[in-house]
Amino acid sequence: MKYLTIDGIENQQPVKIEVSPLILGSGDFFQFNPENVTKMLDTFVEIGGNTLDTAHQYIRGEEIIGQWMKERGNREKITILTKGAHNDDGEPGKRVNPQSITKDLFESLERLQTTYIDLYALHRDDEEVEVGPILEILNEHIKAGRIKAIGVSNWTTQRLEEANVYAKEHNLIPFTFNSPNLSLAKCLIPRWPGCVSADEEMVHYHENHQLPLLAWSSQAGGFFSGAFTPENRENQEMVEVYYSEENWERFDRAKELAAKLGVTPIQVALSYVLNQSFPTAAIIGPEKVTELMSSFKGSQLELSHDIVKWLDLRIAEKPVLLNS
């Protein structure tokens, strides 16, 4: 795997944190047979993966990862991305504040059986809260060695920029990564309350700043798997979030390219995320090792910028590859 790097701080010194292009998500670990989860984690490391996605809200996910790292003795080889301050996480009211951030962080550290988090993201935003106190408490935890790098998940471009301007003006460590939704299929509505997908403005922001983007729902909930068709409307969530003429056209183009390359449409959709004009990684949620290996194969595909634009309906003319 070809790793990307995220700027962080360790022992008060700048460090580059290595992140594998595939990030293994743990949100559904609690549903799986423990032996299958262990095999998934072991296989992920064997193929070169080093980054695991979890969250304070994924209670069992954090606990399972913590126990696995303890049994394998591999904490120093694993990059942990966890998130806190979700507004629906066991306490009433909005929770993007210094107190909830600190509470969630310490509980995540305990569950993960570690003294530090490599990548710590705020799971949601509350635009009524000023960015200053949020950055200041996160910087306190960085200074104490509990966090190496900070980022956000489901923040707008404006709030992210506002926070990083504040950090620069107050000599604080800024957010050095962003984790919104990014996939070939575009969300018509937020998949869950408070979620943010990378729109054109956000994509331009990442291009201009070369800020790493860690994409959740990178495979659009299986939209490109073949399990869904325009006529099949049984899955209400998928219909509401992804069913549009534009997304079906993107699916058709993914199928055409997949046939040319000898791969599957869902592998093409994954490679779309990983071949942007700025650093990206894709958070994946395989249920089986075979699905993990399919994603691994998809991550190896290299697509030109023209192909990425064509898949995304930004240009109509077929790239040379498809005309040959």
Side-chain angles (χ1 to χ4, degrees), residues 302-318:
E302 294 187 5
L303 305 181
S304 69
H305 290 315
D306 281 346
I307 290 177
V308 169
K309 291 178 181 178
W310 178 76
L311 286 169
D312 205 14
L313 311 185
R314 285 185 281 165
I315 58 175
E317 184 178 350
K318 290 183 182 179

Side-chain angles (χ1 to χ4, degrees), residues 96-99 101-102 105 120 122 129-147 150-152 155 159 162-175:
V96 186
N97 57 68
Q99 295 75 24
I101 291 169
T102 297
L105 172 61
Y120 194 77
L122 299 178
V129 177
E130 294 182 3
V131 296
I134 296 171
L135 279 162
E136 286 158 11
I137 190 62
L138 289 170
N139 270 253
E140 286 182 26
H141 292 303
I142 292 172
K143 188 175 181 180
R146 301 184 191 102
I147 299 172
I150 54 174
V152 293
W155 279 41
R159 282 278 284 181
E162 179 186 352
N164 280 356
V165 167
Y166 181 95
K168 183 176 181 180
E169 291 175 346
H170 293 81
N171 197 30
L172 296 171
I173 304 300
F175 292 126

Side-chain angles (χ1 to χ4, degrees), residues 42-70:
D42 288 342
T43 303
F44 181 66
V45 171
E46 288 170 7
I47 63 175
N50 79 331
T51 307
L52 303 177
D53 167 74
T54 189
H56 180 267
Q57 197 182 40
Y58 314 159
I59 299 173
R60 288 291 294 135
E62 287 189 325
E63 292 173 346
I64 290 166
I65 290 171
Q67 185 61 32
W68 173 76
M69 290 191 300
K70 180 180 178 181

Side-chain angles (χ1 to χ4, degrees), residues 111-249:
R111 294 171 187 165
L112 289 160
Q113 302 187 54
T114 186
T115 59
Y116 67 94
I117 303 298
D118 303 278
L119 308 173
Y120 194 77
L122 299 178
H123 210 161
R124 290 290 190 274
D125 191 15
D126 178 358
E127 296 189 2
E128 295 179 2
V129 177
E130 294 182 3
V131 296
I134 296 171
L135 279 162
E136 286 158 11
I137 190 62
L138 289 170
N139 270 253
E140 286 182 26
H141 292 303
I142 292 172
K143 188 175 181 180
R146 301 184 191 102
I147 299 172
K148 289 186 180 181
I150 54 174
V152 293
S153 182
N154 302 301
W155 279 41
T156 64
T157 309
Q158 292 84 355
R159 282 278 284 181
L160 174 57
E161 174 65 6
E162 179 186 352
N164 280 356
V165 167
Y166 181 95
K168 183 176 181 180
E169 291 175 346
H170 293 81
N171 197 30
L172 296 171
I173 304 300
F175 292 126
T176 56
F177 68 94
N178 184 24
S179 185
N181 164 248
L182 174 66
S183 65
L184 179 55
K186 309 308 176 189
C187 293
L188 307 178
I189 61 172
R191 191 165 179 190
W192 297 288
C195 286
V196 171
S197 294
D199 57 12
E200 186 175 350
E201 179 185 8
M202 184 173 285
V203 167
H204 287 322
Y205 183 84
H206 280 271
E207 287 175 336
N208 291 335
H209 294 271
Q210 289 298 296
L211 183 72
L213 187 153
L214 315 181
W216 59 261
S217 280
S218 59
Q219 293 167 304
F223 181 80
F224 298 92
S225 67
F228 306 99
T229 65
E231 297 76 27
N232 180 355
R233 306 181 70 85
E234 294 177 0
N235 189 314
Q236 183 178 354
E237 178 188 344
M238 293 297 291
V239 170
E240 292 178 349
V241 176
Y242 293 116
Y243 278 37
S244 70
E245 290 185 10
E246 291 82 5
N247 281 338
W248 291 121
E249 173 62 22

Side-chain angles (χ1 to χ4, degrees), residues 257 260-261 302-304 307 318-324:
L257 180 60
K260 188 73 174 182
L261 298 176
E302 294 187 5
L303 305 181
S304 69
I307 290 177
K318 290 183 182 179
V320 174
L321 170 67
L322 292 169
N323 286 323
S324 61

